[in-house]
Amino acid sequence: MNWQRSVWIVAAVLVLSLGLSSAGDIVHHDNIAPKRPGCENDFVLVKVPTWINGVEADEYVGVGARFGPTLESKEKHANNTRVVLADPPDCCTKPKNKLAREIILVHRGNCSFTTKANMAESANASAILIINNRPELFKMVCEDDEPDVEIGIPAVMLPNKIGEILENGLTNNSIVSVQLYSPLRPLVDIAEVFLWLMAVGTILFASYWSAWTAREAAIEHDKLLKDASDESSHVEGEGASPLVEISTMAAILFVVIASCFLVMFYKLMSFWFIEILVVLFCIGGIEGLQTCLVALLSCFRRFKRAGESYVKVPFFGAVSYLTLAVAPFCIAFAVVWAVYRRVSFAWIGQDILGIALIITVLQIVRVPNLKVGTVLLGCAFFYDIFWVFVSKWWFHESVMIVVARGDKSGEDGIPMLLKIPRMFDPWGGYSIIGFGDIILPGLVVAFSLRYDWLTNKTLRTGYFVWAMTAYGAGLLVTYVALNLMDGHGQPALLYIVPFTLGTFLTLGQMRGDLKVLWTRGEPERPCPHVRLQSSHSQ
């Protein structure tokens, strides 16, 4: 089963290591739409709770206009105001309605947004709700040739389906009233703290597992050279885990292949395509969860014999009895998650499968030296920046963020993410981090601990603590930037790579280890026979 496991892990690196950024924008900045006095608001999402005949109904979301006064940020300060239909419906001329500070509901089209707002204000409306002619929200801006705008009422755009619901209620002679307010997102949500701990803890655990297996392999190698024992060779061949070492060329090809996958995700994003990704994620999650459980249970004496006893299974080859025992549970876990992934607590199962997969990848896939790690993270650095920011010039939207959100799929996003619901955010949603933002820097952090253990360095004199701290600091800066940008998705590797790689390279240069780290990636191990012969001669 070793070759098959290697294939799955390599596939997981290529398919799942897309550096998807944290996303969840509530304030929409726009440098293209013209700004001038009276027309310089940010585009903010607006909560629109409704009441029908005095009974509280559904709550909807609209978007505020570039013009007009800003809305209240707290629900308790927002007035519950009655809604009336405009006559004429487009509100391009002064409405015939006799208004007493009601909110007027109008249709988009036939004149500019500012004209509609001016007409509504002249009719004594307290606010204007504009129904879009499409399902999505639209940013309402001022015209290029308009003079300075002075509009004294807020304007909010609603999707066409929501507008139809309100309009139907009004045509049926129901009393419809709404509140309009735009709550502020908290500077820090506890979800981001837990997500930070999950990412750092995953790399920490995976690094120690990787370093432990590397040290055991080195001890076994020395024992083999010292004893020249056929038995040792047999044990090593049977129990060793398959390892995949990344070469420099593979690190460069990663960017090309990952970009192809990302564009494919973007172009084919739909409900059925998300279903395919869910199946692929479940396959990788089953393999990862099974590997982690087998390794964990093998630490206990009761399960050790089952972990070391093998049986041949068609197609899979030699499989341990312990693997056969845990496989049904792993399969059932992934299937249950896939079936119920739309329920509110399904993120727990997704994170368990994701963390298990990430840990397995970091244990099996390795960078042999700092040169490969630098090329890999350097390419990923520019890849992340390009697909989050630069891709807007070609595709008119951020490809990375669109894929992360799962736009046009009817889902909350692709499954290749760790996510936690935002607990104190009035807008709800999730804080997310892509697998690539953990796996790619995690490969370099795990390499640092393997090097420390093979060179017998302590935590104080080694590189792991510095690399781990640098990764944590880089991820922390990512969340700070995310909040400073009002929730705009950020390329996490833009901050993580300089912190992690810069710290490692600088420290290696200062300590004089950079040449060894860059080329061999591990200390020279003289043949035990030479050491024995030298000790006998003394």
Side-chain angles (χ1 to χ4, degrees):
M1 190 163 130
N2 287 355
W3 69 271
Q4 290 157 341
R5 179 175 297 180
S6 298
V7 170
W8 280 121
I9 296 304
V10 172
V13 173
L14 296 179
V15 179
L16 306 178
S17 291
L18 304 177
L20 299 173
S21 58
S22 303
D25 25 341
I26 295 303
V27 177
H28 300 260
H29 300 285
D30 190 332
N31 296 322
I32 299 176
K35 278 188 175 184
R36 62 177 66 91
C39 194
E40 53 192 357
N41 296 340
D42 288 324
F43 297 105
V44 297
L45 294 183
V46 179
K47 289 202 171 196
V48 188
T50 61
W51 284 261
I52 307 295
N53 294 325
V55 179
E56 188 170 0
D58 294 325
E59 180 177 275
Y60 306 112
V61 175
V63 63
R66 175 75 91 192
F67 49 84
T70 57
L71 290 163
E72 289 287 349
S73 61
K74 295 184 179 180
E75 182 180 10
K76 63 182 180 180
H77 294 155
N79 294 324
N80 187 323
T81 309
R82 186 172 178 177
V83 179
V84 297
L85 277 174
D87 182 18
D90 59 12
C91 200
C92 290
T93 57
K94 186 172 181 179
K96 301 174 183 178
N97 311 63
K98 294 182 179 180
L99 304 180
R101 303 302 294 170
E102 290 96 345
I103 295 175
I104 192 167
L105 182 68
V106 309
H107 286 270
R108 178 184 176 184
N110 300 329
C111 60
S112 68
F113 296 120
T114 50
T115 298
K116 295 177 187 293
N118 279 319
M119 291 299 170
E121 185 177 9
S122 66
N124 200 32
S126 61
I128 180 171
L129 294 176
I130 300 177
I131 304 173
N132 195 12
N133 50 19
R134 304 186 66 177
E136 65 271 7
L137 295 172
F138 184 83
K139 296 178 179 179
M140 297 185 290
V141 300
C142 303
E143 300 296 327
D144 291 328
D145 56 352
E146 280 186 311
D148 290 351
V149 177
E150 293 184 8
I151 295 176
I153 62 172
V156 177
M157 170 73 74
L158 295 176
N160 59 353
K161 292 182 180 179
I162 306 305
E164 289 173 5
I165 294 173
L166 297 180
E167 191 172 13
N168 290 337
L170 292 170
T171 54
N172 291 333
N173 297 321
S174 298
I175 299 175
V176 179
S177 59
V178 301
Q179 280 183 306
L180 302 177
Y181 66 102
S182 181
L184 301 175
R185 166 165 278 171
L187 291 177
V188 179
D189 191 272
I190 193 67
E192 293 170 353
V193 177
F194 283 116
L195 200 61
W196 185 90
L197 291 173
M198 282 170 56
V200 171
T202 299
I203 292 181
L204 187 68
F205 183 86
S207 297
Y208 271 96
W209 188 7
S210 177
W212 181 82
T213 54
R215 185 169 64 179
E216 291 296 307
I219 293 172
E220 192 67 31
H221 180 264
D222 289 346
K223 181 180 177 182
L224 177 63
L225 292 177
K226 186 185 298 182
D227 300 337
S229 168
D230 292 336
E231 181 181 355
S232 295
S233 177
H234 173 72
V235 171
E236 184 183 11
E238 184 122 32
S241 298
L243 299 178
V244 179
E245 281 198 350
I246 302 175
S247 64
T248 304
M249 182 56 66
I252 296 173
L253 286 176
F254 160 77
V255 177
V256 179
I257 297 173
S259 296
C260 292
F261 273 109
L262 190 63
V263 173
M264 182 178 69
F265 290 170
Y266 176 74
K267 292 294 185 181
L268 300 179
M269 186 62 66
S270 60
F271 175 79
W272 67 266
F273 192 69
I274 288 289
E275 297 296 312
I276 294 175
L277 294 182
V278 167
V279 172
L280 293 176
F281 173 73
C282 286
I283 293 172
I286 289 169
E287 179 66 24
L289 188 59
Q290 172 186 282
T291 302
C292 292
L293 287 178
V294 169
L296 180 63
L297 294 174
S298 296
C299 297
F300 298 94
R301 184 178 303 176
R302 178 179 299 179
F303 300 101
K304 191 171 184 180
R305 185 173 179 180
E308 295 174 349
S309 302
Y310 291 82
V311 61
K312 284 194 174 181
V313 177
F315 183 73
F316 292 101
V319 181
S320 71
Y321 286 101
L322 187 56
T323 300
L324 290 176
V326 302
F329 168 79
C330 299
I331 295 172
F333 187 92
V335 170
V336 170
W337 171 81
V339 172
Y340 295 100
R341 69 182 185 277
R342 294 180 181 87
V343 301
S344 59
F345 52 84
W347 61 272
I348 299 174
Q350 179 173 327
D351 288 351
I352 291 173
L353 291 171
I355 289 173
L357 177 57
I358 292 171
I359 290 174
T360 302
V361 170
L362 291 177
Q363 196 274 327
I364 294 177
V365 181
R366 298 181 178 180
V367 292
N369 51 51
L370 193 53
K371 176 184 176 182
V372 174
T374 301
V375 172
L376 179 65
L377 286 188
C379 291
F381 174 80
F382 292 107
Y383 160 85
D384 223 17
I385 294 174
F386 179 86
W387 289 112
V388 172
F389 295 136
V390 184
S391 63
K392 295 178 181 178
W393 297 348
W394 279 274
F395 299 91
H396 306 293
E397 57 187 349
S398 173
V399 172
M400 187 81 79
I401 294 177
V402 168
V403 172
R405 291 192 305 227
D407 290 2
K408 305 175 186 177
S409 67
E411 300 272 350
D412 287 335
I414 66 173
M416 293 79 169
L417 303 164
L418 298 185
K419 64 181 187 178
I420 296 180
R422 297 179 65 85
M423 303 174 189
F424 299 105
D425 191 334
W427 292 101
Y430 293 88
S431 290
I432 64 174
I433 184 170
F435 284 3
D437 300 330
I438 303 175
I439 291 176
L440 298 177
L443 290 171
V444 174
V445 175
F447 163 73
S448 70
L449 186 58
R450 288 198 304 273
Y451 180 83
D452 287 352
W453 281 21
L454 293 174
T455 53
N456 297 318
K457 290 183 179 292
T458 64
L459 286 177
R460 187 175 62 85
T461 60
Y463 293 92
F464 173 70
V465 171
W466 290 93
M468 192 74 253
T469 303
Y471 172 80
L475 186 57
L476 182 63
V477 171
T478 301
Y479 287 121
V480 171
L482 182 68
N483 286 297
L484 290 177
M485 292 292 184
D486 297 306
H488 261 305
Q490 294 294 301
L493 295 179
L494 170 65
Y495 309 97
I496 293 173
V497 169
F499 272 84
T500 306
L501 204 54
T503 300
F504 207 162
L505 291 170
T506 302
L507 200 59
Q509 178 66 31
M510 292 173 57
R511 294 177 174 178
D513 296 332
L514 187 58
K515 184 177 180 180
V516 177
L517 289 165
W518 189 262
T519 54
R520 290 198 308 272
E522 61 181 26
E524 290 190 51
R525 294 201 302 270
C527 178
H529 294 89
V530 176
R531 294 202 301 267
L532 287 172
Q533 186 177 5
S534 175
S535 62
H536 286 320
S537 63
Q538 292 177 354

